[in-house]
Amino acid sequence: MTQPLGVILAGGLATRMGGGDKGRLQVGGQSLLSRVVDRLAPQVADLALNANGDPERFADLGLPVIADSIEGFAGPLAGVLAGLDWAAEQGADSIVTAAADTPFFPQDLVARLTAASVGMAQPLVLATTPRTGEEALKSGGGKRINRHPAFGLWPVALRGDLRAALQGGLRKVVMWTDQHGGREALFEAEPFDPFFNINTPDDLARAEVLLK
């Protein structure tokens, strides 16, 4: 499989941060979005940003900006579909997605998602981490991992199926990946979960601490 393209998902509404572009929030003097760009760009063949609204507000990043084709803020799967459509135009086989509000995701994300897909006719893999602390105790006999649906390897070949699923009202990422035999790549969650994302002002303060 050729090296995937990268798509940063920045199409959310950021309601818990008062709206606006959450990726523009600063941590350690640098925006979340620029940290994600710096971390994902070396891992992929090319990079685009999935965001809705006026694309000119991201002109400083120098990236193609692709909007959802499914109306009504249909969640991360709509961003995945937009990325797959863009990748198809580039002649690519697959994309890897990352969330714009998750500045510490692994620097070997793409390599490990790709490794987990070996042998699959259509590479479809989500990042996961083990549940730790109180979460692990609460999980009982259930699934003892957290799946991170914004961080995945997605095949261009399934974009038609995904479009039909979204048009039919499907919104849950794992429902769709499970339907297609999606796999999981397990990442360590110590000393903290690298897929920690920033949803609230408290999360932003915690990110400043983690950075130090």
Side-chain angles (χ1 to χ4, degrees):
M1 188 176 71
T2 55
Q3 190 180 22
L5 302 183
V7 177
I8 298 170
L9 302 177
L13 296 172
T15 51
R16 282 181 282 180
M17 294 296 285
D21 292 312
K22 189 165 44 167
R24 293 298 195 183
L25 296 171
Q26 300 266 318
V27 175
Q30 188 179 354
S31 75
L32 297 177
L33 193 47
S34 65
R35 287 185 179 278
V36 172
V37 169
D38 289 350
R39 195 159 278 237
L40 187 58
Q43 302 186 48
V44 293
D46 203 357
L47 193 58
L49 179 68
N50 162 241
N52 299 300
D54 184 3
E56 283 301 310
R57 70 190 194 277
F58 298 111
D60 58 301
L61 296 173
L63 296 176
V65 180
I66 49 178
D68 294 349
S69 59
I70 304 291
E71 293 183 0
F73 293 102
L77 277 177
V80 171
L81 177 60
L84 291 174
D85 287 341
W86 169 71
E89 293 169 4
Q90 314 301 311
D93 299 327
S94 61
I95 64 169
V96 166
T97 54
D101 61 356
T102 309
F104 306 122
F105 67 87
Q107 291 174 312
D108 60 353
L109 172 74
V110 175
R112 290 172 64 179
L113 291 174
T114 303
S117 76
V118 170
M120 298 182 81
Q122 295 166 329
L124 184 59
V125 184
L126 291 183
T128 66
T129 47
R131 291 185 174 174
T132 58
E134 288 185 10
E135 265 195 326
L137 295 173
K138 288 177 188 171
S139 63
K143 214 166 178 69
R144 298 196 180 189
I145 58 167
N146 288 319
R147 291 194 276 196
H148 303 286
F151 289 85
L153 172 66
W154 313 86
V156 170
L158 285 178
R159 69 191 177 108
D161 185 286
L162 178 55
R163 191 184 323 278
L166 282 164
Q167 289 171 340
L170 184 98
R171 295 294 180 263
K172 275 191 77 70
V173 173
V174 296
M175 282 185 66
W176 187 75
T177 58
D178 285 352
Q179 285 172 16
H180 294 281
R183 293 182 184 174
E184 295 164 349
L186 187 66
F187 293 82
E188 301 78 23
E190 299 293 347
F192 64 91
D193 191 324
F195 299 100
F196 161 69
N197 65 312
I198 292 165
N199 285 318
T200 66
D202 284 349
D203 292 338
L204 197 63
R206 186 183 171 212
E208 289 283 3
V209 173
L210 291 175
L211 200 61
K212 292 168 186 170

